[in-house]
Amino acid sequence: MSGLVVRDTPRADEAAVDALARYGVATVHEAQGRTGLLSSALRPVFAGGHIAGSAVTVSVPPADNWMLHVAVEQCRPGDVLVVSPTSPSDAGYFGELLATAVAARGVRGLVIDAGCRDVAELTAMGFPVWSRHVCAFGTVKETLGDVGLPLVCAGQRIDPGDVIVADDDGVVAVPRRDAAEVAQACRAREDKEARSRERYARGELSLDVGAMRERLAAKGLTYADHADHAEPADPSGREDGPGVTAR
């Protein structure tokens, strides 16, 4: 169905969103079982952005941004716009004017599996965008799409209200109902990494910190001293270098 706007979709618990905002995309991805990572083709248009918020989903026709204007009305403070075209498009759906409109409503950023433009202006105003393309090609306003329905963005299904976390490493989605649990798992992972970091700083090897030696041995890893493993000397006494055949 096209041309549907679902209003007042549930958002993730605010405390859970704020908790997830303390962690990077890599930590969130690992903490929820190495799931939820959007395609690495989505890149930030400027470095240093780090956001977390509830997804407002927008399905758009190729090279047509009409539904983005419709979506502005549905945005609340703390939201993240998640936009996906119904077929591939590199058009510049989003720029400085729309960023101004959604920033005024408290939107924290945009994730779009298509193009954006006005990068200098977006950078100057500090509105973070993760996009597949940067393209000046303009869009029209002719065809309906949807707002507030599940969609697939950069290879991941996103439901309205799912938590989006994005930083310089990429974008990850956390199911809305799992947000608090994943935040707890992130904290446990960060605590474990902090202990490992302290041991690394003291000069300990990751092989020992991570208890890897027994598993490596079980896979068949062996060690040999050079003296025991060196090639035997040439009995002819020739002094040809390694890999050189005497003629």
Side-chain angles (χ1 to χ4, degrees), residues 158-220:
I158 310 292
D159 288 334
D162 285 352
V163 181
I164 303 298
V165 182
D167 62 16
D168 286 341
D169 289 337
V171 184
V172 66
V174 178
R176 176 175 60 87
R177 293 180 177 84
D178 297 341
E181 180 181 351
V182 173
Q184 290 178 350
C186 287
R187 179 175 181 179
R189 182 177 179 83
E190 287 273 283
D191 290 345
K192 179 181 178 181
E193 289 186 351
R195 293 191 294 271
S196 296
R197 190 176 298 109
E198 291 176 359
R199 295 179 67 180
Y200 291 163
R202 293 196 298 266
E204 293 188 57
L205 294 173
S206 57
L207 291 174
D208 299 313
V209 174
M212 300 179 193
R213 295 188 187 276
E214 184 175 335
R215 292 178 56 227
L216 287 165
K219 293 285 187 180

Side-chain angles (χ1 to χ4, degrees), residues 86-208:
T86 53
S87 60
S89 176
D90 64 356
Y93 283 82
F94 186 93
E96 179 256 342
L97 286 177
L98 273 169
T100 300
V102 296
R105 300 183 72 85
V107 172
R108 293 176 175 172
L110 166 76
V111 173
I112 181 167
D113 195 8
C116 77
R117 59 185 186 178
D118 299 339
V119 170
E121 290 82 359
L122 294 171
T123 304
M125 65 188 294
F127 188 87
V129 173
W130 286 258
S131 67
R132 184 178 288 269
H133 306 285
V134 172
C135 182
F137 188 81
T139 55
V140 298
K141 297 171 180 60
E142 296 290 344
T143 307
L144 296 180
D146 300 304
V147 177
L149 294 180
L151 51 71
V152 174
C153 182
Q156 290 291 336
R157 176 189 167 109
I158 310 292
D159 288 334
D162 285 352
V163 181
I164 303 298
V165 182
D167 62 16
D168 286 341
D169 289 337
V171 184
V172 66
V174 178
R176 176 175 60 87
R177 293 180 177 84
D178 297 341
E181 180 181 351
V182 173
Q184 290 178 350
C186 287
R187 179 175 181 179
R189 182 177 179 83
E190 287 273 283
D191 290 345
K192 179 181 178 181
E193 289 186 351
R195 293 191 294 271
S196 296
R197 190 176 298 109
E198 291 176 359
R199 295 179 67 180
Y200 291 163
R202 293 196 298 266
E204 293 188 57
L205 294 173
S206 57
L207 291 174
D208 299 313

